[in-house]
Amino acid sequence: MSSNPILRTALVWGGVFALVLAVVAGGVGFAVDGSRGLVSGLLGTLIAAFFLGITAGSILFANRFSSSDMFVPIYFGVVMGGWILKFVLFLVAAWILREQPWVDPQILFLSLIVGVIGTLVIDCIVIARSRMPYASDVRLPEYTGTDD
Amino acid sequence: MDSTTLLAEINGNIATVGYGLAAIGPAIGVGIVVGKTIEGVARQPELAGRLQVLMYIGIAFTEALAFIGIATYFIFTN
């Protein structure tokens, strides 16, 4: 599919942003709450980058089946299934992590919110700068006449 | 204990209700985004790639609302 390069670029730049934010969030967390803050900042950034990356990743994975007759059900099944699974996993992870003594919940969830907003900004920039042909996924009808 | 006190007694955390409210918006949003993408691809199959990218950014925004909704619950119940 013609959208694959753009989604791949969004994933790569999202990863680069997550690395930069991990350093910043880890540093701020360490300054505020020592090693507990460091772990919380890193973990919050990792969760934001991973869970937001699942959307682009699931679209890229589903596009592998673009030649299949069942592409539309497979595509929306994979993307929406990944979406619902992501939220269930996120709720479970948040519930477990909040109780841990080595995690500062406020630093964790604040770095997560910053990560989510930052990844959105990166996605917007990547998509605004992308160039796509207008009619990009044309499949010409095959001639099935009997006169040749 | 009089009946008024008994009726007004609610157990649990009110932030849970907040998460429930926060889930309504993203649910409606992602439903519209995906539904309209299906409609668009059905009308113009050759635009599937472009519509996928637009759907991706739409889903990213609606899921950000849901993530922030869940995260604020955990920040304020600390």
Side-chain angles (χ1 to χ4, degrees):
Chain A
M1 297 290 284
S2 58
S3 59
N4 285 5
I6 297 171
L7 293 168
R8 216 168 280 133
T9 315
L11 267 182
V12 169
W13 281 107
V16 171
F17 169 78
L19 277 177
V20 174
L21 183 70
V23 174
V24 175
V28 172
F30 187 73
V32 173
D33 199 12
S35 60
R36 240 174 111 223
L38 175 73
V39 172
S40 307
L42 291 178
L43 213 56
T45 313
L46 184 78
I47 291 174
F50 174 69
F51 283 105
L52 268 99
I54 286 182
T55 309
S58 64
I59 295 176
L60 280 172
F61 175 74
N63 277 348
R64 291 183 177 194
F65 302 95
S66 59
S67 56
S68 161
D69 288 339
M70 292 287 286
F71 175 57
V72 175
I74 291 173
Y75 176 79
F76 287 104
V78 168
V79 176
M80 292 290 95
W83 207 71
I84 198 88
L85 192 70
K86 163 171 59 184
F87 278 103
V88 172
L89 284 177
F90 177 58
L91 270 172
V92 171
W95 192 254
I96 293 170
L97 284 173
R98 196 173 62 125
E99 306 294 322
Q100 301 303 317
W102 44 270
V103 162
D104 184 330
Q106 281 186 325
I107 295 176
L108 179 95
F109 289 107
L110 278 175
S111 62
L112 194 147
I113 289 177
V114 174
V116 166
I117 293 172
T119 314
L120 271 183
V121 172
I122 298 285
D123 287 349
C124 283
I125 293 172
V126 167
I127 287 170
R129 289 168 63 91
S130 65
R131 293 285 174 269
M132 275 183 85
Y134 203 76
S136 43
D137 294 296
V138 183
R139 202 189 303 164
L140 293 173
E142 287 163 28
Y143 184 67
T144 52
T146 52
D147 55 349
D148 58 346
Chain B
M1 193 185 287
D2 59 292
S3 61
T4 318
T5 317
L6 194 64
L7 282 172
E9 188 180 85
I10 299 173
N11 291 317
N13 195 328
I14 192 69
T16 316
V17 181
Y19 168 65
L21 291 172
I24 296 173
I28 295 173
V30 86
I32 291 174
V33 168
V34 172
K36 289 287 176 183
T37 306
I38 295 173
E39 196 180 309
V41 174
R43 285 171 187 267
Q44 302 260 298
E46 70 274 15
L47 283 183
R50 284 176 77 90
L51 292 173
Q52 266 187 9
V53 173
L54 296 174
M55 185 189 85
Y56 165 65
I57 199 80
I59 289 180
F61 270 94
T62 44
E63 81 184 351
L65 285 179
F67 271 119
I68 293 170
I70 299 171
T72 42
Y73 162 71
F74 286 101
I75 288 174
F76 291 125
T77 51
N78 186 28

